[in-house]
Amino acid sequence: MTILELREKRAKAWEAAKAFLDSHRNASGVLSAEDDAAYTRMEQDITNLGREIARLERQEALEAELNKPVNKPLTDKPMNSKGEAKTGRATDEYRANFWNMMRSKAPMPQVVNALQIGTDSEGGFLVPDEYEQTLVESLEEENIFRQLANIIRTSSGDRKIPVVATKGTASWIDEEGAYPEGDDSFGQVSIGAYKLGTLIKVSEELLNDSVFDLESYISREFARRIGSKEEEAFFTGNGTGKPLGILAETGGAQVGVTAAKTDAISVDELIDLFYSLKTPYRRNAVWLLNDATVKLVRKLKDGQGQYLWQPSLVSGTPDTLLGKPVYTSAYMPTAAAEAKTVAFGDFRYYWVADRQGRSFKRLNELYAANGQVGFLASQRVDGKLVLPEAVKVLQQTAA
């Protein structure tokens, strides 16, 4: 079954679920236990279809990547190339010697000498430029927040971001009257670089096996571990030893609406949250919530009896809520007392600062007794919402 057919099937299943919900509510407007179980099964089928669609989309993307030519076509005449020569960590020599260093317990002196341009201050080696780009792309796939935020690269520890604190205004003035002063005032948001690392262990047999793709394995594991920890911090980080998340009490997103209940959300509350965000930020705004909250929101209707939630029929396009894209993350809280369950805003105002240069270090002796070699992988990153008013959250009531 094609992706389009699955999307059409999911849309029909959603229409059937809505019709079932409408026709089986009792006089009090709720479902019986038996009907609720039936509706839950229908909703689960819709969720499963969505997962299958996402799986096929990833498969298509992988096939497209594998079908790309392995070599670039020749566009210049032999011996007449005008291409710019690669330098530093971008050279093929550095890349080859880097992986020779990772595989070899006692690399030749010329290998070590070739890596001096990428020596990290902490004793490791900075990864080649092309591989660093691969890691960044993998992190974006593992981390939904990186797809929405503004990513910057820094070469120093701190980055000062100027932010307008107050804005001046124009005034009507009489003929030959004096111009009133209305200067803007500026503040600064400082983004630093917190260290995030992981230890990867590989058996000596695998490491010495030329068939074993060390590059791909480390890339996948690094992306999975770092991506998960990063995303958690971008949501819930307190700014101490880690980035400051959007849900932080101070410096995080502003509370736009407080729900009337601890475990439920109403249509009016979502609409109020939508309009609590200023118009300029709404143009590129998206919703962020977790799967449990999605289940609550999917049952809501507007005043005309139309469901707020609209499933997508176009490949690669997210579902929408009040006309804006919806993204999910396991790190958004579920409905509970004082929990911030729904975020709505322009997440490009959340800045993620990557301290350029991801580092690998090989540990030869620490795990030698177990026939393993350790690899320390680390990066330095920070994140902060530079304009708290650009993102609003819905917070459940305290009681």
Side-chain angles (χ1 to χ4, degrees), residues 204-389:
E204 293 176 345
E205 290 78 10
L206 274 180
L207 195 60
N208 295 328
D209 189 348
S210 60
V211 177
F212 176 58
D213 190 347
L214 179 65
E215 299 177 43
S216 297
Y217 171 73
I218 291 182
S219 177
R220 287 195 308 271
E221 272 300 290
F222 187 35
R224 182 185 65 81
R225 299 182 190 185
I226 297 295
S228 176
K229 210 64 181 175
E230 267 190 354
E231 184 161 354
E232 181 183 11
F234 294 157
F235 279 99
T236 63
N238 57 13
T240 303
K242 65 182 70 172
L244 186 67
I246 62 165
L247 301 179
E249 289 296 327
T250 303
Q254 297 177 351
V255 176
V257 173
T258 300
K261 298 181 179 180
T262 60
D263 58 352
I265 300 170
S266 71
V267 173
D268 290 345
E269 288 164 354
L270 287 177
I271 293 175
D272 289 342
L273 180 62
F274 185 93
Y275 287 103
S276 69
L277 193 69
K278 293 181 180 179
T279 303
Y281 304 125
R282 287 206 303 268
R283 295 193 188 102
N284 298 296
V286 301
W287 301 89
L288 263 177
L289 53 165
N290 71 10
D291 286 336
T293 310
V294 167
K295 186 175 180 179
L296 296 176
V297 173
R298 262 188 163 164
K299 301 176 182 178
L300 301 178
K301 291 182 179 180
D302 61 18
Q304 286 71 43
Q306 300 296 320
Y307 283 89
L308 300 185
W309 187 279
Q310 295 297 323
S312 171
L313 295 176
V314 181
S315 177
T317 303
D319 299 333
T320 59
L321 178 63
L322 295 175
K324 294 299 182 180
V326 179
Y327 294 91
T328 60
S329 172
Y331 296 106
M332 282 295 292
T334 55
E338 297 188 325
K340 297 176 180 178
T341 51
V342 181
F344 178 67
D346 188 345
F347 290 89
R348 295 179 305 173
Y349 287 94
Y350 189 94
W351 284 37
V352 175
D354 284 326
R355 176 75 181 273
Q356 207 160 17
R358 289 167 178 82
S359 175
F360 282 174
K361 185 187 298 183
R362 175 174 168 143
L363 305 178
N364 289 321
E365 306 301 332
L366 187 59
Y367 304 102
N370 297 323
Q372 294 176 317
V373 175
F375 293 95
L376 289 178
S378 65
Q379 72 173 45
R380 298 180 69 189
V381 64
D382 194 9
K384 193 168 291 183
L385 187 60
V386 297
L387 279 182
E389 67 178 26

Side-chain angles (χ1 to χ4, degrees), residues 6 9 70 103 175 193 297 322:
L6 284 173
K9 185 175 180 180
V70 295
R103 282 186 176 276
E175 185 175 352
V297 173
L322 295 175

Side-chain angles (χ1 to χ4, degrees), residues 73-87:
L74 292 174
T75 56
D76 295 327
K77 294 181 180 179
M79 306 303 293
N80 192 32
S81 174
K82 297 181 180 179
E84 185 176 345
K86 295 180 179 179
T87 58

Side-chain angles (χ1 to χ4, degrees), residues 71-260:
N71 294 307
K72 293 182 179 180
L74 292 174
T75 56
D76 295 327
K77 294 181 180 179
M79 306 303 293
N80 192 32
S81 174
K82 297 181 180 179
E84 185 176 345
K86 295 180 179 179
T87 58
R89 292 188 292 133
T91 62
D92 293 336
E93 179 188 9
Y94 184 88
R95 181 177 182 276
N97 283 304
F98 177 87
W99 291 109
N100 285 336
M101 169 67 81
M102 292 299 109
R103 282 186 176 276
S104 176
K105 183 175 182 179
M108 299 295 289
Q110 59 266 31
V111 172
V112 179
N113 292 337
L115 295 179
Q116 291 303 311
I117 55 175
T119 300
D120 184 53
S121 59
E122 298 179 356
F125 292 97
L126 302 181
V127 300
D129 284 356
E130 290 183 7
Y131 188 69
E132 181 165 315
Q133 184 62 32
T134 301
L135 289 176
V136 171
E137 291 174 353
S138 297
L139 287 175
E140 289 174 352
E141 291 174 4
E142 292 286 336
N143 188 333
I144 187 66
F145 216 102
R146 279 183 172 268
Q147 300 177 29
L148 305 175
N150 179 38
I151 312 296
I152 62 173
R153 307 281 185 268
T154 66
S155 56
S156 59
D158 282 347
R159 175 79 172 266
K160 304 293 185 183
I161 303 170
V163 178
V164 178
T166 60
K167 298 179 180 179
T169 60
S171 301
W172 297 102
I173 53 179
D174 296 329
E175 185 175 352
E176 298 182 356
Y179 285 85
E181 294 184 5
D183 293 338
D184 293 349
S185 63
F186 295 87
Q188 281 188 337
V189 173
S190 177
I191 291 187
Y194 298 111
K195 189 173 182 179
L196 182 59
T198 183
L199 171 63
I200 300 172
K201 291 186 286 187
V202 181
S203 69
E204 293 176 345
E205 290 78 10
L206 274 180
L207 195 60
N208 295 328
D209 189 348
S210 60
V211 177
F212 176 58
D213 190 347
L214 179 65
E215 299 177 43
S216 297
Y217 171 73
I218 291 182
S219 177
R220 287 195 308 271
E221 272 300 290
F222 187 35
R224 182 185 65 81
R225 299 182 190 185
I226 297 295
S228 176
K229 210 64 181 175
E230 267 190 354
E231 184 161 354
E232 181 183 11
F234 294 157
F235 279 99
T236 63
N238 57 13
T240 303
K242 65 182 70 172
L244 186 67
I246 62 165
L247 301 179
E249 289 296 327
T250 303
Q254 297 177 351
V255 176
V257 173
T258 300

